[in-house]
Amino acid sequence: MSHQHSEEDLKNIAKQLSCPEGEHGIKTGEMMHASNIGMTTSAIDALNLQNNDFVLEIGHGNGMHIARLLSKAEKLSYYGADISETIIAEAKKINQEFIDNGVVQFTLTDGNKLPFENGLFNKIFTVNTIYFWENPGAYLSEIKRTLKPNGILSLCFADKSFMQNLPFTPYGFILYEVEKVKELLKNADFTIKNILNKTEQVKSKTGEQIEREYHIVVASAE
């Protein structure tokens, strides 16, 4: 018999998904890694990483995927930005060797500004964070500021048609269809390069296999 969550439970789930905190946040980070690894892998592949790229991930979670990312090309520099102190601490533990070698670093951010210099990154990607952006247009402009000319953004998110059926998304999530994301990117002076539409089987909270439709919008800062 499936457990019926109260409204308070659902609000707490939504809060942890947007900014994991404490012991529960560590568990949330593990769950997010497992459920998002397909989307994360697709978003990374869409970047077509090249030797010596400077890569920023916004909302990196516990960072269990970073070793795989670093194997994609030679001499990559990875920067992670997240709003959760809990999740950054976990990511540092998991990636300590890479930090010691000077190829990985993590930065706490406020979700509105990126504390990086103009034109630092060749590639930026983010998975399942757009739902929580307070001002998507301004944040995309901030992302564009930190990209080199012709730098690439890979923006990955689950389709509104899937997300709206999840019981916790009414509490703090803004849901998107791909056309709206394209419009936001164009308004921030990005050029859309490619749109990948994918589906995958994921396990629901009650243990059932359900189909998730998601998109990777690849755009350049020309």
Side-chain angles (χ1 to χ4, degrees), residues 188-206:
D189 292 328
F190 279 91
T191 300
I192 308 293
K193 291 295 188 183
N194 196 12
I195 297 173
L196 302 163
N197 304 307
K198 301 200 172 197
T199 57
E200 62 179 354
Q201 295 291 317
V202 292
K203 193 176 282 191
S204 72
K205 292 275 185 191
T206 53

Side-chain angles (χ1 to χ4, degrees), residues 33-130:
H33 169 76
S35 66
N36 291 340
I37 190 61
M39 295 178 72
T40 301
T41 300
S42 294
I44 293 168
D45 288 347
L47 289 174
N48 187 25
L49 292 173
Q50 304 293 313
N51 295 347
N52 302 299
D53 272 351
F54 278 66
V55 184
L56 171 64
E57 179 177 10
I58 298 168
H60 50 73
N62 68 10
M64 286 187 70
H65 58 284
I66 292 171
R68 185 185 297 180
L69 179 153
L70 291 171
S71 72
K72 295 282 184 182
E74 300 291 328
K75 297 182 179 175
L76 294 174
S77 297
Y78 172 96
Y79 294 69
D82 209 287
I83 62 171
S84 164
E85 291 184 19
T86 296
I87 220 71
I88 287 177
E90 280 301 290
K92 283 181 175 177
K93 278 188 216 168
I94 289 167
N95 294 282
Q96 191 60 55
E97 183 181 344
F98 297 128
I99 294 170
D100 292 343
N101 290 337
V103 296
V104 165
Q105 58 180 276
F106 298 102
T107 302
L108 184 69
T109 65
D110 64 3
N112 294 305
K113 295 291 184 183
L114 292 169
F116 305 109
E117 65 193 68
N118 294 353
L120 178 60
F121 302 109
N122 309 92
K123 310 282 170 68
I124 297 179
F125 74 107
T126 189
V127 178
N128 286 335
T129 67
I130 192 173

Side-chain angles (χ1 to χ4, degrees), residues 3-15 167-172:
H3 171 63
Q4 195 68 33
H5 288 290
S6 69
E7 184 176 12
E8 200 58 37
D9 288 339
L10 294 172
K11 285 180 179 177
N12 284 330
I13 290 169
K15 186 179 178 189
F168 47 80
T169 53
Y171 306 103

